[in-house]
Amino acid sequence: MRVRAMAAALVAGVLAVTASACSSGSDAKVPSDPSKVSGTVTMWIYPINEKIENTWWKSRIAAFEKKYSKVNVKVVVQPWANRDEQLTTAIAGGKGPDVVYLIPDQIPQYANTGALADVSDVVAKDKGDFRQNALAAMTYQDKLYGVPMLMSVTATVANKKVLAKAGIDAPPATWDEALADGAKLKKKGLYLTDYVASPDATLNQTFYPLLWQAGGTVLSPDGKKAAFNSPAGVKALTFVKTLVDRGYVPKDSLTVTPKPDQSVLCTGKAAFGFASATAEVTICPGYQASDWQVAAPLQESKSVSYGTVGGLSVLSGSKNAAAAKAWVQWISSPSQLKQFDLDHGYSSTRTSQGSLLADQPLVGESEKYLGDMKTGVTNAAAPRQLMDVIKPHLQAALLGKVSVKQALADAEKDANKQLARG
Amino acid sequence: MDRVARKSRRNRRRLWAHLPLAIVAVATIIPFYVMIVLSLRKGRSLSLPDALLPFHVNFGAYADVLAHAQVVRWMLNTAAYSVISVVLVLVFASFAAYAFAKKRFFGRNAMFWTLLATLMVPYHLTLIPQFILISKMDGLDTLWGLIVPTLANTQALFLMRQFIMGIPDELIEAARIDGAGEIRLFWQIVLPQTKPILATLGVFVFLWHWNDFLWPLVATRSPDHYVLTVGLNSLQAQDSSLTVTMAGAVLTFLPILLVYVLLQRYFVRGVTMSGLK
């Protein structure tokens, strides 16, 4: 992990130098006349839905090229694995794609080095139609660097069969109710939930939601200082430590990330996922939608959870940035976006499309929390590297090696060093 | 009677001596067993440990993987990348190793240790310069662009040098006195002696290239030029089914097994001789 972080830092440095030298795409605007734009647009996408990704785009490209007859679009489905290494190397070598699918964690990392073009003009006509938190997730230092294409939200997902075994009527709404349920479940030899503290876990679905629920934030508003070492942070980590100490979560998950379909939630040994996407339980052995229930995210001072946004960014090094922006605008137009989200099984980033998945079990229920979800750290240059320096300290506290306060203080120190590096 | 008792005692001793080996062998085989059995399960949901029992065989996951039109092409790309690399790496490594082991020239040791020191440089740090170099040479998305950066293999050079150092100088001198020129000396005297280490390295280099992911990922630009590791990964969503992942892993693993089985005799000899020297 340390080698990866070192490499990422170096790559970021190289990127900064390279990106500053090639900013042809930064100034290009969306063309108003389709006949005036030409060139080849290469888009890198990832298998968001493995069943359709290699075929879905063909008809869309054909339709787009009918309208933009001088533009040629190539969609390349790339692997998720090592995507940052691949993208940073390609950008540094001046061979990056014109358009790439990015998630909020990646936006600051690439925007900070000047690798992304401002795409405000792409959504200028109907900016008000996009959900504000989706746009915020793709914004860095007041500039929009990605057009949001899909959204999902994590909520409280409950296994009704497990609840029934412990005599619990409804999922908890607050931390206190969760602790009370934990005691009931433990008596029956069951876990309340799963908390994964291993190095490869994401804090977006573990610690951050609890921190937000306690009223805290990860960073200061300007993104320059760690803010999680606060009363809210202490409260959140103490809550998790209580879950661990009382045996309400499995100890194994503090050091090893279970395979999704082998987690205690999936195998019927835990009652709740407190920051779980409903899709996570559909891969559980013997999955029946009727066995599951979705409830609001937990509340301490407020009810909030994590959600994801995926969007299309235009690279500033693109030689055909105007054509690239035209393609992104076209594919994110209401009718195309709706089909994209429906076929990929995600919620729409446009409010005018309402609840796209309302008729689907579980996910339809969770859609109502879309408007309130947060997408992790979006105001710092390297959110993932930041997570990497925070995680070991949180894990140390949960394993009983240091106190909660000490862990947060140590994490704050390392996080501030990381933030200072930019 | 005594002889029978002695034989029985000897067999018991052998049994105890072989027991740890048997345990290690089973522990080594378990991951392969899990990979193969899980690849023969059906659907996304697996109930462990039941799913590890070898019943209800289903080839659906293999059908899913092979249904993709480009899988065969990716296999051919990978085979070309691996086989050509093996041949060229062995050629270059044996030339260089012979020079470092048997020739006297100014700065020989400094050059050799400098080469070895490059093994300490993390691969990620050389990735971008290597990419830019190949890109400037128009090698992106080409087979030669994939192969060329992997040819100067320091590990192969090191192992070959150690092996060639063990060949007696007298043998080479005798051939030289008999009138053998440098090319004949290398080709007819040195190279035949290195068959075991060539076979061992051949397996290793084939394995490294067959499993290589990062360089082919950054150096290939279109699905037609993907190798198997990159292609199969490009078909998988982040929450892909374990059965399909395992089926892909088995397909990737089979050629390696085949190469190992074919070269096993040389491989074991090469490892043994390298260890003794």
Side-chain angles (χ1 to χ4, degrees), chain B residues 98-112:
Chain B
Y98 174 58
F100 278 120
K102 295 295 180 191
K103 296 286 173 189
R104 298 278 177 274
F105 54 90
F106 176 74
R108 182 182 74 156
N109 287 340
M111 275 173 71
F112 181 70

Side-chain angles (χ1 to χ4, degrees), chain B residues 61-204:
Chain B
Y62 288 92
D64 281 352
V65 173
L66 293 170
H68 197 275
Q70 286 175 301
V71 166
V72 174
R73 189 182 181 109
W74 296 337
M75 278 188 168
L76 293 174
N77 289 346
T78 315
Y81 174 47
S82 306
V83 173
I84 296 172
S85 298
V86 166
V87 173
L88 294 179
V89 166
L90 293 187
V91 167
F92 289 134
S94 54
F95 283 173
Y98 174 58
F100 278 120
K102 295 295 180 191
K103 296 286 173 189
R104 298 278 177 274
F105 54 90
F106 176 74
R108 182 182 74 156
N109 287 340
M111 275 173 71
F112 181 70
W113 289 109
T114 306
L115 272 173
L116 276 194
T118 62
L119 288 175
M120 304 293 171
V121 181
Y123 180 59
H124 281 75
L125 299 187
T126 60
L127 190 62
I128 291 175
Q130 183 175 303
F131 177 86
I132 293 172
L133 190 67
I134 292 298
S135 166
K136 298 269 185 212
M137 293 164 71
D138 286 332
L140 292 183
D141 223 18
T142 64
L143 184 60
W144 73 262
L146 267 187
I147 292 171
V148 165
T150 66
L151 296 185
N153 189 314
T154 312
Q155 282 161 289
L157 163 65
F158 175 72
L159 288 171
M160 281 294 292
R161 175 195 177 254
Q162 297 309 100
F163 196 91
I164 292 174
M165 279 173 79
I167 298 173
D169 289 343
E170 292 79 4
L171 191 65
I172 296 169
E173 285 307 316
R176 192 169 278 134
I177 289 164
D178 286 346
E182 282 305 315
I183 293 174
R184 194 169 169 198
L185 202 68
F186 177 76
W187 193 251
Q188 290 193 333
I189 305 296
V190 176
L191 210 56
Q193 303 283 328
T194 63
K195 272 185 197 164
I197 194 68
L198 285 175
T200 308
L201 273 176
V203 173
F204 279 135

Side-chain angles (χ1 to χ4, degrees), chain A residues 45-369:
Chain A
I45 193 89
Y46 303 89
I48 300 165
N49 179 332
E50 78 254 50
K51 298 275 185 213
I52 61 171
E53 217 61 64
N54 278 289
T55 51
W56 193 88
W57 296 91
K58 284 180 184 161
S59 58
R60 266 73 205 177
I61 293 169
F64 174 79
E65 288 179 350
K66 209 170 171 183
K67 188 176 175 189
Y68 288 82
S69 57
K70 293 178 190 164
V71 179
N72 178 25
V73 177
K74 284 184 190 167
V75 174
V76 184
V77 182
Q78 299 282 14
W80 286 109
N82 296 85
R83 66 190 192 278
D84 279 323
E85 285 95 328
Q86 183 198 31
L87 187 58
T88 48
T89 306
I91 294 171
K95 298 282 180 184
D98 303 284
V99 178
V100 64
Y101 176 89
L102 294 179
I103 59 170
D105 278 358
Q106 295 173 295
I107 293 284
Q109 181 181 332
Y110 292 101
N112 196 45
T113 58
L116 302 182
D118 185 344
V119 289
S120 315
D121 54 320
V122 176
V123 299
K125 281 184 192 161
D126 51 359
K127 191 175 178 185
D129 189 29
F130 284 93
R131 289 181 191 275
Q132 288 313 296
N133 53 356
L135 286 175
M138 296 271 136
T139 300
Y140 179 66
Q141 292 182 346
D142 301 325
K143 280 190 181 171
L144 185 69
Y145 288 110
V147 176
M149 292 290 290
L150 60 81
M151 288 181 90
S152 71
V153 64
T154 68
T156 298
V157 179
N159 184 329
K160 287 195 228 170
K161 282 185 177 170
V162 179
L163 295 191
K165 280 185 199 166
I168 299 169
D169 299 328
T174 65
W175 290 8
D176 287 341
E177 287 176 24
L179 289 173
D181 286 348
K184 288 179 196 167
L185 288 155
K186 194 182 176 189
K187 275 184 195 160
K188 297 288 176 187
L190 298 162
Y191 293 113
L192 173 75
T193 186
D194 199 2
Y195 185 94
V196 183
S198 58
D200 52 343
T202 168
L203 295 180
N204 283 335
Q205 280 186 271
T206 53
F207 183 68
Y208 289 171
L210 296 170
L211 178 69
W212 300 327
Q213 286 163 14
T217 57
V218 181
L219 302 181
S220 58
D222 62 4
K224 289 185 176 163
K225 290 278 172 198
F228 55 80
N229 185 17
S230 61
V234 172
K235 204 187 260 187
L237 191 54
T238 305
F239 175 63
V240 186
K241 182 94 171 78
T242 308
L243 298 183
V244 173
D245 292 346
R246 292 187 187 175
Y248 296 170
V249 296
K251 285 215 161 60
D252 293 352
S253 299
L254 298 181
T255 48
V256 179
T257 302
K259 287 290 279 180
D261 61 346
Q262 304 305 320
S263 67
V264 285
L265 182 65
C266 247
T267 51
K269 292 174 191 151
F272 306 106
F274 288 127
S276 299
T278 53
E280 288 169 26
V281 296
T282 61
I283 61 165
C284 297
Y287 166 76
Q288 298 280 338
S290 56
D291 292 341
W292 299 87
Q293 179 182 352
V294 171
L298 283 180
Q299 175 169 357
E300 178 59 12
S301 74
K302 59 177 127 173
S303 172
V304 59
S305 193
Y306 166 75
T308 190
V309 175
L312 297 178
S313 295
V314 174
L315 296 192
S316 57
S318 167
K319 291 183 178 68
N320 297 304
K325 284 186 172 184
W327 161 250
V328 173
Q329 190 178 60
W330 186 83
I331 201 69
S332 62
S333 62
S335 59
Q336 296 300 327
L337 187 80
K338 183 176 182 181
Q339 206 53 50
F340 174 86
D341 286 325
L342 276 173
D343 292 346
H344 284 81
Y346 279 89
S347 301
S348 177
T349 52
R350 288 178 175 269
T351 50
S352 61
Q353 288 169 356
S355 179
L356 270 190
L357 311 172
D359 59 340
Q360 294 186 20
L362 305 181
V363 67
E365 272 295 299
S366 68
E367 269 195 323
K368 67 175 84 156
Y369 308 113

